[in-house]
Amino acid sequence: MGMWVTMKGKHLTVKIDLKRYLSSPDPFFLVFTVNEHLLLGACWRGELEGDESDVYRFFYNLLTACYYFLRPESPHVQRITKIDKRNIEEEGFQLRGDEVVVYQAVERNAIYYACSTGRVARIYYHNELLEFTDCPEYMGKHKGVVEVPLKEFVEDVLKISKEFLDEYAPIIERIIIEHTGEPEGYDYVWESYYEVVELYRKRLDLENR
């Protein structure tokens, strides 16, 4: 039996199983949904199942996407966007054409592209585990696109990341140390979190002038 914990925003939900650990670079099972779209994880016999995941990297990816969304004018962000726009088209997605930022997040069995138009966060995803689902509600939905207001996407990421860092990262760190004898450390996730908080505040100041 798993022991699932859930972090939930308005649109984004993340579930992590604290009970099962694999000795691999992706040791924990994780489910990630945006609204009713399943971006990471599988569904069998009516039950959601996690994808093997490096949980710290997962949150770092989400925070990095937000960081990019809030700094579209940065030369670094523009450079990565150019590269990732090529990748997303090779992956077989048709971009709508108004995306100013594209950030690619690669997970073990899934890939998603977090894009921003400046107003909307648009996520193109391909979840390989869902290709084989026997759950009718997910059949044919292993590849798709989901849109969320940009502000709400960033707010959700900040909310669930904070909850993860405060409540569950210390537990995950303990489990990692138990199994490997070595701390992995998640300071870089905190750093990324504070960077996004800072940028988000600045952006709100600008909008509210």
Side-chain angles (χ1 to χ4, degrees), residues 69-86:
F69 288 178
L70 295 167
R71 297 204 55 202
E73 67 298 322
S74 140
H76 172 72
V77 170
Q78 291 180 2
R79 198 166 54 246
I80 301 289
T81 290
K82 226 200 234 96
I83 295 165
D84 288 347
K85 270 187 174 169
R86 277 203 304 274

Side-chain angles (χ1 to χ4, degrees), residues 116-173:
S116 157
T117 69
R119 285 191 325 279
V120 173
R122 188 177 291 145
I123 297 113
Y124 297 87
Y125 65 91
H126 182 184
N127 177 353
E128 289 176 12
L129 289 183
L130 263 197
E131 291 179 23
F132 313 104
T133 186
D134 59 4
C135 305
E137 69 273 32
Y138 290 115
M139 282 181 183
K141 299 209 177 132
H142 57 279
K143 217 172 168 175
V145 58
V146 55
E147 289 190 356
V148 172
L150 186 69
K151 187 169 180 292
E152 293 178 11
F153 181 85
V154 175
E155 285 166 356
D156 268 14
V157 170
L158 288 174
K159 178 184 187 287
I160 64 179
S161 300
K162 178 87 163 68
E163 195 178 329
F164 170 72
L165 287 162
D166 283 339
E167 292 181 36
Y168 303 116
I171 298 171
I172 281 191
E173 193 68 357

Side-chain angles (χ1 to χ4, degrees), residues 43-133:
C43 184
W44 305 109
R45 301 189 191 92
E47 294 281 319
L48 284 184
E49 177 54 79
D51 192 0
E52 296 162 31
S53 179
D54 170 344
V55 181
Y56 299 156
R57 188 191 67 217
F58 168 79
F59 280 99
Y60 180 74
N61 269 335
L62 280 179
L63 287 162
T64 304
C66 291
Y67 179 84
Y68 278 34
F69 288 178
L70 295 167
R71 297 204 55 202
E73 67 298 322
S74 140
H76 172 72
V77 170
Q78 291 180 2
R79 198 166 54 246
I80 301 289
T81 290
K82 226 200 234 96
I83 295 165
D84 288 347
K85 270 187 174 169
R86 277 203 304 274
N87 293 346
I88 191 172
E89 282 166 358
E90 279 167 20
E91 192 68 32
F93 289 103
Q94 275 314 120
L95 285 172
R96 307 273 166 91
D98 56 352
E99 296 88 352
V100 282
V101 175
V102 178
Y103 175 75
Q104 170 183 315
V106 180
E107 297 291 336
R108 173 167 281 218
N109 292 299
I111 188 165
Y112 69 87
Y113 294 87
C115 307
S116 157
T117 69
R119 285 191 325 279
V120 173
R122 188 177 291 145
I123 297 113
Y124 297 87
Y125 65 91
H126 182 184
N127 177 353
E128 289 176 12
L129 289 183
L130 263 197
E131 291 179 23
F132 313 104
T133 186

